[in-house]
Amino acid sequence: MSTETFEFQVEARQLLQLMIHSVYSNKDVFLRELVSNASDALDKLRLAKLRDDTLDADVSDPHIELETDPDARTLTVRDNGIGMSYDEVGELIGTIANSGTAQFLKELKEAQDAEEEGLIGQFGVGFYSGFMVADEVTLLTRKAGEKQGTRWSSRGEGTYTLERVDDAPQGTSVVLHLKPADPDNQLHDYTAVWKLKEIVKRYSDFITWPIRLVGEKGDDGKAAEPETLNSMKALWARPRDEVSEDEYHELYKHIGHDWREPLETIQLHAEGTFEYQALLFVPSHAPHDLFRQNMRHGLQLYVKRVFIMDDCEALLPSYLRFVKGVVDAQDLSLNVSREILQQDRHIRMMQRRLTKKVLSSVKSMMTRDADKYATFWREFGAVLKEGLVTDPDNRDALLAVASFASTHEDGDAVTLKQYVERLPEGQDDIYYITGESREAIDNSPHMEAFRERGIEVLLLTDPVDEVWVDAVGEFEGKRLRSVAKGEIDLDAREDDKSEDEQKQQAEAYAGLLGWMRERLDDDVKEVRLSTRLTRSPACLVADADDLTPALENMYRAMGQEVPHSKRVLELNPDHALVKGLNEAYTEREDRSELADTAELLYALAVVAEGGRPKDPARFVRLTADRLERTL
Ligand code: ADP
């Protein structure tokens, strides 16, 4: 059979270089990765056979085998799992399909000193980690049900070879041609039996398939009985005090495809008529695809210790899609399909219970460990807030663990409860402002009067914020109110205008306001004097039940038709520009000039809230024209 040579995809090559130049201080983990892949392959084979009884595959003794040859200096990791086809080997091993890894490479390039910052060692690199300990890796595989196998081989230097083989056993074996041991650099002798035992015990003990060490041949030429190295005990079924944190973390790394420790481990044993155990993990970092439509998520589902499926989405609501873990149920059918799961009464019951458990864990994290909670909320707060809209049953629990940036906090966040507790006498509303970033918000004209009076305003910058505030409406009897919506009726202060003064002002401006409303009819439904502006000449506000521009854009982005909602233009009667405009309006007969100025004033209000004038070129022309006259 002919051997063909291929080049690694660019990212794959970069990753290999990292491996070869040994960026991980702890090289032992290569074995964890290979065993993890082998275990997945056995799971997949079992499922494939379950789905298709006629599949021509041997499933009588699924296992993982380690075999060493100290003379040839090789270590072989073998499984009789699903295997890979010729095309799959090229696709899966020659490229980096895992976008998390691509992201890792990007971060690595951006980091000054990746090693120092501990970036490396945070990402799983799977199969390639073999190149940390080997200068050549050969993989022989045959896919279950296929006749022909494939041999893949590489020295990790930019190319690999592929060859079709006729006599490959079903499954996959990976042969590592080991580098010379170099204990100073944590490169151990991986043909040493004690070392392999130690690594398996440490990283892979919970793997549900036997990991056997194939005995060396004795003097009589016969191999000793293979020894099983792992206990295969399901961690989730063991009492918590018998399992070390380390053991939990290794399980997390296996199922979460993450090399970092989880932030939180959550265990649940449900007894009664429907028994199940769950072991859940909150990762310490949000995955990069958390907000992508096709993000893979969900828990692993086991039935009586037997793996049934990955990514079982029905077990948790979508706003907890970052949670990883295992659920092992006693009384589900082994043949459950995804379709059935969605409607299954027991699954729904489990979902409810697991959701409550996660939320109560976050709650206790909040009181127990403020730093940990802060990390949690930074990474996952934006997702959790989706639940405020989609899960009314748990709304209170969600509100209890939600926190927000505020004008009255520097770096810390405040909960609604804290906000309400420190409400000054007479204030009945919880004020918030939405926007793209804290900077944009801080300088928003809508904030002026609030800042001046020292009123606390929550600063909401996640896209979902626009939605949940409407859905939730109030907290402990206090209304949630946008500073950019409706008429603001702040408490009177000493230097405020008297009622008489206000009345006079209203009369003085009545003509201008009416005239401007007509001029700006396309975009504005009302022009009125503002109580919220102190420094800016104008701002735009929505009516309490109007869509905000951000929401409008969001719906349009989702392909929904939404009418352009007109807003209210508020003018600051104490601003020189507005005063001048009013004088000119009362004095002049010809108002064509003024019409342009009115239009500009509107455009300035749009720009001030981060928007874009409708006709930017015209906006610039009008502005330039007026600037010129000041010179
Ligand atoms: P990951 O395991 O994170 O997906 P790897 O580089 O370790 O990344 O493996 C890439 C893919 O190659 C796996 O997702 C799997 O489809 C396939 N693969 C790796 N090892 C095996 C194996 N022993 N048997 C079958 N398929 C495997």
Side-chain angles (χ1 to χ4, degrees):
M1 291 270 159
S2 68
T3 307
E4 278 192 85
T5 303
F6 298 88
E7 287 200 358
F8 283 106
Q9 172 210 29
V10 182
E11 284 88 3
R13 202 157 55 222
Q14 292 171 336
L15 199 51
L16 276 165
Q17 282 307 309
L18 280 173
M19 287 300 113
I20 291 165
H21 297 292
S22 223
V23 291
Y24 287 96
S25 49
N26 180 3
K27 304 195 171 49
D28 291 357
V29 293
F30 80 93
L31 191 58
R32 165 179 84 192
E33 297 300 301
L34 296 181
V35 165
S36 186
N37 282 350
S39 165
D40 289 347
L42 291 166
D43 287 340
K44 285 181 196 160
L45 177 63
R46 205 192 63 80
L47 288 178
K49 186 77 182 171
L50 205 65
R51 278 198 205 110
D52 176 9
D53 202 20
T54 64
L55 179 71
D56 180 19
D58 179 14
V59 291
S60 56
D61 177 28
H63 65 278
I64 299 163
E65 239 171 43
L66 307 181
E67 188 175 0
T68 61
D69 184 337
D71 296 334
R73 293 211 45 77
T74 59
L75 166 66
T76 304
V77 181
R78 192 177 294 131
D79 67 71
N80 53 356
I82 190 86
M84 285 173 273
S85 69
Y86 184 90
D87 288 344
E88 280 171 343
V89 177
E91 267 163 40
L92 297 169
I93 307 287
T95 63
I96 295 182
N98 185 339
S99 42
T101 312
Q103 177 72 15
F104 159 60
L105 284 167
K106 204 172 131 249
E107 283 177 33
L108 205 58
K109 272 188 226 140
E110 283 162 11
Q112 292 285 339
D113 187 343
E115 213 150 347
E116 209 158 80
E117 291 178 26
L119 252 186
I120 293 166
Q122 296 182 352
F123 290 78
V125 287
F127 176 77
Y128 287 168
S129 59
F131 286 99
M132 292 197 290
V133 300
D135 41 31
E136 185 178 351
V137 177
T138 307
L139 173 144
L140 181 66
T141 185
R142 180 165 66 82
K143 184 153 184 159
E146 292 187 2
K147 293 268 173 300
Q148 212 172 33
T150 307
R151 179 180 284 113
W152 177 99
S153 185
S154 177
R155 302 183 61 84
E157 284 163 352
T159 60
Y160 60 89
T161 59
L162 275 180
E163 179 188 4
R164 294 182 201 271
V165 251
D166 282 332
D167 53 354
Q170 174 203 311
T172 304
S173 58
V174 177
V175 185
L176 303 165
H177 301 264
L178 298 167
K179 293 182 189 174
D182 177 6
D184 290 345
N185 283 314
Q186 294 207 41
L187 184 61
H188 302 284
D189 177 8
Y190 297 108
T191 62
V193 167
W194 71 268
K195 187 68 199 171
L196 297 180
K197 283 186 180 171
E198 182 198 88
I199 303 177
V200 169
K201 207 70 205 153
R202 166 133 177 62
Y203 296 112
S204 312
D205 192 54
F206 55 83
I207 293 286
T208 44
W209 307 104
I211 305 169
R212 296 181 191 145
L213 185 65
V214 183
E216 284 176 49
K217 291 199 173 71
D219 291 339
D220 56 359
K222 274 200 218 140
E225 274 296 294
E227 183 186 352
T228 300
L229 304 184
N230 56 329
S231 73
M232 293 183 274
K233 273 194 199 150
L235 289 192
W236 52 91
R238 289 164 55 191
R240 187 152 192 167
D241 52 8
E242 280 178 21
V243 184
S244 72
E245 276 301 286
D246 261 4
E247 283 180 276
Y248 282 132
H249 291 181
E250 290 310 325
L251 176 68
Y252 164 72
K253 291 175 190 174
H254 171 64
I255 58 182
H257 293 276
D258 190 352
W259 280 27
R260 293 169 285 204
E261 318 274 272
L263 189 67
E264 187 78 338
T265 304
I266 303 167
Q267 200 172 25
L268 176 78
H269 280 211
E271 321 254 306
T273 48
F274 188 77
E275 268 181 46
Y276 60 94
Q277 289 119 13
L279 188 55
L280 308 183
F281 301 96
V282 176
S284 55
H285 291 76
H288 64 283
D289 56 355
L290 194 53
F291 292 100
R292 289 224 194 104
Q293 201 107 90
N294 56 358
M295 178 208 177
R296 280 180 52 182
H297 64 102
L299 303 175
Q300 287 193 341
L301 178 64
Y302 282 70
V303 173
K304 292 199 248 343
R305 309 276 179 279
V306 178
F307 175 77
I308 301 294
M309 68 172 76
D310 253 327
D311 309 325
C312 182
E313 295 167 3
L315 288 168
L316 282 176
S318 152
Y319 66 87
L320 295 179
R321 58 185 173 274
F322 53 87
V323 175
K324 308 269 187 209
V326 175
V327 171
D328 190 347
Q330 295 307 307
D331 302 305
L332 276 181
S333 148
L334 286 175
N335 294 314
V336 287
S337 70
R338 284 179 195 277
E339 294 68 43
I340 294 176
L341 280 179
Q342 296 295 345
Q343 301 146 24
D344 189 277
R345 188 169 64 87
H346 289 125
I347 294 279
R348 281 210 304 267
M349 225 169 66
M350 287 197 277
Q351 199 213 70
R352 271 200 297 278
R353 178 89 184 266
L354 292 172
T355 304
K356 292 211 183 330
K357 182 74 187 179
V358 173
L359 293 181
S360 68
S361 304
V362 177
K363 177 93 208 223
S364 80
M365 192 194 289
M366 214 170 174
T367 41
R368 230 179 40 232
D369 189 339
D371 285 346
K372 206 181 204 187
Y373 166 77
T375 305
F376 171 83
W377 194 254
R378 186 189 65 227
E379 297 294 319
F380 304 112
V383 194
L384 229 67
K385 283 187 280 189
E386 292 173 11
L388 290 170
V389 183
T390 56
D391 187 3
D393 288 346
N394 286 306
R395 187 171 283 169
D396 290 343
L398 282 162
L399 283 174
V401 299
S403 60
F404 311 95
S406 147
T407 47
H408 285 35
E409 297 285 345
D410 233 357
D412 294 338
V414 53
T415 61
L416 290 185
K417 199 169 174 61
Q418 288 165 328
Y419 183 105
V420 167
E421 272 164 10
R422 62 192 189 203
L423 266 186
E425 192 72 31
Q427 186 184 332
D428 283 328
D429 296 322
I430 300 171
Y431 288 110
Y432 68 86
I433 180 167
T434 55
E436 259 171 43
S437 66
R438 177 142 190 177
E439 296 78 56
I441 283 178
D442 269 345
N443 297 317
S444 160
H446 300 110
M447 295 284 282
E448 289 173 4
F450 291 86
R451 187 169 304 114
E452 194 131 299
R453 285 162 205 245
I455 298 175
E456 177 164 21
V457 178
L458 301 178
L459 310 170
L460 310 181
T461 51
D462 289 320
V464 64
D465 288 326
E466 298 257 2
V467 190
W468 76 257
V469 284
D470 276 343
V472 171
E474 59 146 57
F475 179 79
E476 293 187 352
K478 309 286 179 195
R479 257 195 319 161
L480 281 155
R481 287 197 63 191
S482 164
V483 302
K485 276 185 166 188
E487 292 200 57
I488 293 287
D489 187 15
L490 297 175
D491 253 3
R493 290 190 317 168
E494 292 205 349
D495 54 349
D496 280 353
K497 299 187 188 76
S498 68
E499 258 179 50
D500 266 356
E501 281 172 315
Q502 280 183 30
K503 227 169 150 186
Q504 273 174 18
Q505 206 167 40
E507 276 166 24
Y509 276 93
L512 174 72
L513 298 182
W515 174 77
M516 274 184 75
R517 204 207 73 78
E518 269 169 41
R519 309 287 331 166
L520 300 170
D521 186 49
D522 283 349
D523 303 295
V524 162
K525 61 180 165 192
E526 189 189 339
V527 183
R528 68 181 174 220
L529 295 183
S530 183
T531 50
R532 58 189 109 207
L533 295 175
T534 58
R535 284 179 301 155
S536 302
C539 71
L540 285 162
V541 300
D543 269 343
D545 45 3
D546 279 348
L547 287 183
T548 60
L551 260 191
E552 250 180 52
N553 288 339
M554 205 167 94
Y555 284 124
R556 289 211 183 92
M558 295 187 317
Q560 288 187 30
E561 293 255 348
V562 278
H564 171 58
S565 46
K566 295 188 190 180
R567 289 192 292 157
V568 177
L569 178 65
E570 287 195 353
L571 301 184
N572 178 358
D574 301 321
H575 194 281
L577 174 56
V578 178
K579 278 188 193 155
L581 185 60
N582 196 36
E583 278 160 27
Y585 170 83
T586 355
E587 282 162 17
R588 283 192 211 164
E589 295 276 304
D590 173 12
R591 295 193 177 124
S592 56
E593 263 286 276
L594 293 186
D596 287 349
T597 305
E599 186 187 328
L600 263 183
L601 200 52
Y602 169 73
L604 288 175
V606 171
V607 173
E609 59 175 24
R612 221 177 100 106
K614 243 189 340 195
D615 182 347
R618 182 173 155 78
F619 172 71
V620 169
R621 195 152 30 77
L622 291 178
T623 313
D625 168 60
R626 276 153 184 75
L627 284 176
E628 192 190 304
R629 286 188 238 160
T630 66
L631 298 175

